Amino acid sequence: MDARQLEYFLAIVEHGGFSKAAAALHVAQPSLSQSMANLEADLGVALFHRVGRGVVLSEAGRELLEPSRRVLRDLTAVRDTAAALAGLHGGTVEVATMPSPGIEPLTTLVHRFAELHPSVTVSTQAAFTPDEVLSLVRSGACELGLLGSAAPVRPAGLDVLHVEDQPFVVVAAPGGAVEDDVTIRPGDLAGQKLIASRTGSLMRGIVDDITAGGTGTEIVTVVDHRTSILPLVLTGVGVAVLPSSWTRLARRCGAVVAPIEPTAHLHVAMVSLPAHLTPAARAFLALTASLARRRAAHGTGGPPPTPDA
């Protein structure tokens, strides 16, 4: 077994077949097929079941996924460590992130990280629930995971760094009943049309509590993609309840943002495996810890501070 065989194996899984993997790797498909046949012979198990012109992972193949990712990541870490002796040069940090933490604190983190390590690429992968983030980190698909949850997470086998708590705010188009930076209560939204996410999110729970008050407030549209919410607000479709991570972007786009009391908080955390982090990932995690300390010292309600180097 060698690292190239593991690289080929993962490429077949990620690209959904031998032909697409061969094209992505710029190798001939017969060479790829022979390499996998040799790997299966060495292991004594079939890694794929051939179904028509396609393939699906066998049980043995599924069991090999995480160890393969870790082996290749460790090899990358060896190379990166050698390069790090003269400073952090090259490499990629892979971060799974949910939508709202992906607005902030991710923007601040990537901006500062790019200043400190301009030759390192930050690659983000979308996840929409805390469980999806945890799964991506546990599987080795991403080294780090940025999530927001209704309560602090305590996943077994993963390190958790609490970053901040984000209160929820009301975002609305200018010129309406909602005034910028003027605190409102749920009853003040009487008669308003609300833009909401699907049932199951903390944001939707807050919206449901508001509509249950019997004030004539109603949900006018339900969206899967959070990126659709701000454009819908700005065109006057309705108002939205969002984590405060959206505040700066919303105001720059011309929306008004008002604190709402009482409100829930989104608990934002960075999760990682206790080991197997590349130097680039360790540097990103250290930057996140710096940001968490500064925001904890700064308190809530002010502009987000920039993390130290």
Side-chain angles (χ1 to χ4, degrees), residues 232-284:
L232 289 170
V233 168
L234 291 170
T235 54
V237 172
V239 302
V241 178
L242 291 167
S244 59
S245 57
W246 291 80
T247 298
R248 178 183 292 179
L249 177 62
R251 284 181 172 147
R252 285 183 175 179
C253 292
V256 297
V257 181
I260 182 170
E261 293 183 356
T263 187
H265 287 74
L266 188 71
H267 298 272
V268 179
M270 182 77 82
V271 296
S272 60
L273 288 168
H276 303 288
L277 291 183
T278 61
R282 287 197 297 271
F284 197 90

Side-chain angles (χ1 to χ4, degrees), residues 103-199:
I103 297 293
E104 188 62 41
L106 185 67
T107 297
T108 295
L109 288 169
V110 172
H111 178 241
R112 182 59 175 149
F113 192 80
E115 290 179 334
L116 295 170
H117 310 292
S119 60
V120 179
T121 300
V122 179
S123 175
T124 64
Q125 186 165 337
F128 297 94
T129 66
D131 284 344
E132 287 181 20
V133 173
L134 298 179
S135 178
L136 286 168
V137 174
R138 283 198 177 103
S139 70
C142 293
E143 292 188 89
L144 305 173
L146 190 60
L147 59 82
S149 57
V153 295
R154 297 179 178 86
L158 295 178
D159 289 339
V160 179
L161 171 64
H162 176 73
V163 181
E164 63 182 358
D165 292 331
Q166 297 178 359
F168 281 79
V169 296
V170 173
V171 180
V178 179
E179 297 181 56
D180 191 67
D181 210 26
V182 177
T183 301
I184 62 175
R185 300 185 66 82
D188 297 331
L189 295 174
Q192 292 282 346
K193 298 185 182 300
L194 295 175
I195 301 164
S197 59
R198 294 200 179 275
T199 302

